[in-house]
Amino acid sequence: MEKAWYKEGIVYQIYPRSFKDSNNDGIGDIKGIIEKIPYLKDLGVAIVWLSPVYKSPMEDNGYDISDYQDIAPVFGDLSDMKKLIKELHKVKIKLVMDLVINHSSSEHDWFKKSVKRVGKYSDYYHWEDKPRNWTGFFGGKAWSYNEERKQYYLHLFSKGQPDLNWDNPELRSDIKKMITYWLELGVDGFRCDVINLIAKNNLHPRGRKRLILTGREHYLSYPNLHKYLHELNRDVFSKYDCFTVGETVFVSPKDGVLLTSPKRKELDMVFQFEHMDADNYFVKWFIKKFKPMNLKKPLSNWQNNVNEKGWNTLFLESHDQPRSINRFGSLAFHDESAKMLATMLYFQQGTPFIYQGQEIGMTNISFDNLEDYQDVETHNIYKLMRKMLFSKKRIMKKIKYVSRDNGRTPMQWDDSKNAGFSDQKPWLKVNPNYKDINVAKEHLDKDSIYNYYKKIIKLRKVYPVIVYGKYRDIDFNNKSLFIYRRYDKTNELIVLCNFTDKDYTMDKFEYKNHKLILSNYKENDDFVLKPYEARVYYK
Ligand code: ISL
Ligand code: CA
């Protein structure tokens, strides 16, 4: 297998709005990130991925971009951005930016010109005289009327996020120029937002009626996608020492291989979401009780079918996901389960992604008032479910478990006012548990979740088998344990994880001659795994 820095290093995702506020307006910003570079360095991450900081009306917190080559004033300006790149590079940390090119904001100049049918821009978006029956990701109709142009336009996300028309070569050429601009500034790669939606089928507009995403057969990994990705790679990415990670929704391991196979030269890796359905029925709002098997099955399926052919990513959290302890671990075994989940995930094959706050075990918030939630999706879904006659109580219960704001509360730095995030009222309330869960406290405790993450990051540098070794499941049908083996010609790792809150007694123990290199308990009984115990053995 080909070696690469982006396979070896660990990525840390920053949601700028919630990371660190430097000028006390209640919103995190680029200068705040610069302040915290020593923190990132201490943790040991190699790459930082920044959620969007571009100019935006912020209908979807920056995933609605109105100028791809400028910075939103709330986050700072271009000189701050250049400084961030420089300061990160000084300490050998790479920077990956978010690339939101399936759609722009309706405030983007391109859209304004498209509305007025100005020259080449007329065709930069998808326009139709009659709306199609497609529905969007945030619930509701995906085609909306524009009064001025007197036509309907496509938006798979909110109304202010019109989809770009990738069939237009002039649009593609403008996108390539824009990406080149950032690469020239020194950016080391991109996380490509919903990239497998960019190609649309415009010939068969009627969508098959479905409970969610009617019409999705016309844009989910539609064949032209591969053509457009290959073109971007050939004309732009391949000319720089950078990497791309595609956010790809509703993809199978087979798609994963097509998208990341080095021979095909499309993307370097993808985020897939099959394991994010471990506690829901396909749609996150239809919650079901979590069963370890539902996490194990998709994760091992991707390991078994993508490894050696393409490249995986390893993630449990992001700015779109609730906190993993609430979903797959246990609040009663907060530290143990946080460490177990990290062990289970990061010793698999793929590039590890840590989402801010995950490394200290941040958890979901639980607001009783809808008004305390800020996310556009949460509000859209609330309205939709009210229309569907769900009771307010029932909807709020769902929101508490699922809302994207669970992962967006301000980073908990210390136990001072607003968790040390800002002097002013933060844009989204701080989780009241910040007195217990915060960076300052965990720095001092050698057994903290933070220091456990540090150990994992260090081990990855010591044992290349963690990065490049093959993967094999052990005792796959076990409903309580997740056990697997990583190996190459001369090295072997065994990862043992207990997903239950009870002792688990194994009937055999075959690792007597292995060395225990990591565990979340101080003492380990060979045969008995304590609640949420995790161990890694090496031979
Ligand atoms: O969280 C979701 C909605 O329930 C996901 O389906 C999410 O919308 C999907 O993964 C796409 O996410 C990305 O694009 C969106 C943006 O809102 C998300 O924050 C971003 O990660 C539109 O740009
Ligand atoms: Ca600020």
Side-chain angles (χ1 to χ4, degrees):
M1 195 195 314
E2 235 174 88
K3 299 201 163 159
W5 56 264
Y6 54 77
K7 293 178 179 170
E8 293 169 13
I10 292 195
V11 188
Y12 187 86
Q13 182 192 351
I14 290 181
Y15 196 63
R17 183 167 279 273
S18 304
F19 194 58
K20 172 72 188 155
D21 177 17
S22 74
N23 62 344
N24 294 314
D25 62 355
I27 300 175
D29 45 56
I30 297 174
K31 285 205 174 91
I33 301 171
I34 296 173
E35 264 176 47
K36 293 296 181 185
I37 290 178
Y39 174 75
L40 301 167
K41 194 62 203 163
D42 181 70
L43 183 57
V45 298
I47 303 160
V48 163
W49 150 31
L50 218 58
S51 274
V53 287
Y54 311 94
K55 209 162 238 172
S56 161
M58 302 287 169
E59 185 171 330
D60 188 18
N61 286 359
Y63 282 91
D64 46 328
I65 297 170
S66 56
D67 186 343
Y68 287 102
Q69 293 180 210
D70 207 350
I71 302 294
V74 279
F75 294 136
D77 59 24
L78 264 174
S79 70
D80 294 332
M81 193 60 209
K82 288 180 191 163
K83 180 152 184 235
L84 174 64
I85 298 173
K86 206 172 107 197
E87 296 296 315
L88 282 171
H89 284 175
K90 262 194 205 158
V91 295
K92 304 250 170 335
I93 297 178
K94 309 240 184 203
L95 179 76
V96 166
M97 284 184 85
D98 221 301
L99 197 60
V100 189
I101 50 180
N102 171 70
H103 46 269
S104 72
S105 157
S106 53
E107 301 286 304
H108 195 290
D109 225 36
W110 294 342
F111 190 75
K112 289 185 189 157
K113 286 181 175 151
S114 199
V115 165
K116 297 195 183 335
R117 299 179 200 256
V118 177
K120 66 172 187 179
Y121 300 104
S122 185
D123 219 11
Y124 265 35
Y125 296 83
H126 298 272
W127 294 102
E128 294 290 337
D129 291 332
K130 288 208 184 92
R132 297 174 179 174
N133 64 339
W134 306 6
T135 55
F137 282 77
F138 294 159
K141 294 194 170 89
W143 290 83
S144 287
Y145 191 62
N146 179 275
E147 289 289 345
E148 205 178 333
R149 178 151 163 160
K150 304 219 170 344
Q151 273 189 313
Y152 292 84
Y153 68 95
L154 171 64
H155 57 91
L156 291 178
F157 294 90
S158 77
K159 270 192 183 170
Q161 293 168 298
D163 284 53
L164 290 159
N165 177 12
W166 276 75
D167 297 332
N168 183 336
E170 293 187 285
L171 178 268
R172 298 207 297 280
S173 152
D174 272 346
I175 296 269
K176 286 182 220 164
K177 277 185 215 148
M178 176 275 281
I179 300 173
T180 305
Y181 165 84
W182 288 107
L183 287 165
E184 285 296 320
L185 276 187
V187 165
D188 303 291
F190 297 95
R191 175 268 189 185
C192 310
D193 191 62
V194 285
I195 200 70
N196 69 318
L197 308 185
I198 59 174
K200 272 85 175 179
N201 174 5
N202 289 312
L203 300 173
H204 304 285
R206 245 204 106 66
R208 212 170 89 205
K209 208 149 169 51
R210 303 179 203 252
L211 190 58
I212 62 142
L213 296 177
T214 290
R216 63 178 187 249
E217 65 280 15
H218 297 312
Y219 58 78
L220 278 183
S221 305
Y222 193 68
N224 279 345
L225 165 69
H226 299 288
K227 194 175 115 192
Y228 299 148
L229 286 177
H230 185 76
E231 187 184 311
L232 278 182
N233 190 292
R234 183 195 64 203
D235 297 349
V236 190
F237 298 130
S238 64
K239 302 196 165 136
Y240 295 82
D241 180 24
C242 69
F243 87 99
T244 53
V245 46
E247 187 209 21
T248 53
V249 292
F250 304 105
V251 286
S252 65
K254 219 170 135 190
D255 298 314
V257 171
L258 284 179
L259 291 161
T260 65
S261 153
K263 279 180 268 170
R264 294 171 51 91
K265 298 191 170 29
E266 295 186 12
L267 296 164
D268 295 307
M269 60 187 93
V270 293
F271 291 123
Q272 59 86 20
F273 293 90
E274 290 194 331
H275 63 302
M276 290 288 109
D277 290 342
D279 55 356
N280 60 59
Y281 299 97
F282 195 53
V283 184
K284 65 182 188 181
W285 300 96
F286 300 137
I287 301 162
K288 73 181 177 199
K289 194 174 152 24
F290 168 67
K291 286 204 191 97
M293 198 42 116
N294 294 335
L295 191 64
K296 191 165 153 178
K297 257 193 204 149
L299 286 176
S300 106
N301 189 25
W302 275 75
Q303 289 293 308
N304 288 315
N305 291 296
V306 175
N307 290 4
E308 325 307 323
K309 301 185 203 117
W311 190 252
N312 265 305
T313 57
L314 307 171
F315 79 96
L316 285 180
E317 295 188 12
S318 76
H319 63 294
D320 289 336
Q321 301 295 336
R323 295 291 183 176
S324 55
I325 300 176
N326 294 76
R327 300 175 77 179
F328 316 130
S330 157
L331 291 176
F333 292 92
H334 177 269
D335 288 23
E336 292 85 353
S337 65
K339 294 173 188 171
M340 183 280 284
L341 288 169
T343 315
M344 178 280 297
L345 185 71
Y346 295 132
F347 285 87
Q348 300 189 19
Q349 192 187 85
T351 298
F353 284 74
I354 299 169
Y355 176 63
Q356 67 182 46
Q358 184 185 335
E359 77 281 18
I360 55 168
M362 280 177 63
T363 61
N364 286 352
I365 29 103
S366 177
F367 297 138
D368 290 323
N369 298 323
L370 181 68
E371 294 68 43
D372 284 334
Y373 289 91
Q374 302 296 328
D375 181 20
V376 59
E377 181 196 49
T378 301
H379 286 270
N380 284 358
I381 293 287
Y382 183 89
K383 277 179 226 144
L384 191 77
M385 288 196 175
R386 284 299 288 154
K387 258 193 218 155
M388 291 160 78
L389 302 176
F390 281 86
S391 73
K392 285 184 184 166
K393 203 171 141 204
R394 181 123 181 253
I395 308 175
M396 285 312 289
K397 199 174 154 206
K398 281 183 190 289
I399 287 177
K400 285 182 185 183
Y401 186 74
V402 173
S403 173
R404 302 195 296 183
D405 283 341
N406 279 312
R408 298 178 179 183
T409 58
M411 181 72 182
Q412 294 163 206
W413 294 107
D414 55 39
D415 63 4
S416 69
K417 190 180 155 206
N418 300 323
F421 164 74
S422 174
D423 278 359
Q424 289 306 307
K425 192 173 158 229
W427 71 278
L428 179 66
K429 283 188 180 163
V430 172
N431 193 316
N433 67 16
Y434 73 92
K435 298 237 180 224
D436 281 326
I437 302 174
N438 65 64
V439 169
K441 189 173 162 205
E442 295 202 22
H443 269 166
L444 295 175
D445 171 8
K446 70 176 187 0
D447 295 320
S448 64
I449 302 170
Y450 177 85
N451 280 314
Y452 192 86
Y453 267 77
K454 264 181 88 164
K455 274 186 212 156
I456 293 183
I457 295 171
K458 280 205 185 112
L459 286 172
R460 196 175 172 84
K461 292 173 186 158
V462 178
Y463 297 97
V465 64
I466 301 174
V467 183
Y468 295 110
K470 293 196 161 95
Y471 172 98
R472 182 165 306 149
D473 293 305
I474 297 178
D475 191 13
F476 181 76
N477 293 322
N478 191 313
K479 292 193 175 80
S480 308
L481 308 185
F482 195 156
I483 315 176
Y484 59 87
R485 174 172 176 245
R486 299 291 311 283
Y487 61 102
D488 56 26
K489 284 202 187 94
T490 46
N491 306 277
E492 175 180 75
L493 284 174
I494 301 290
V495 180
L496 280 171
C497 296
N498 180 4
F499 259 91
T500 71
D501 57 6
K502 296 184 184 63
D503 283 359
Y504 185 99
T505 308
M506 297 183 283
D507 28 315
K508 55 177 196 267
F509 182 76
E510 297 165 326
Y511 314 113
K512 267 254 174 292
N513 298 320
H514 287 60
K515 183 178 144 201
L516 185 70
I517 58 168
L518 183 70
S519 175
N520 58 350
Y521 277 84
K522 281 192 188 124
E523 272 152 38
N524 312 88
D525 172 319
D526 282 357
F527 285 88
V528 184
L529 286 169
K530 291 188 225 29
Y532 294 100
E533 181 167 342
R535 293 181 212 166
V536 182
Y537 289 101
Y538 173 75
K539 197 169 87 172

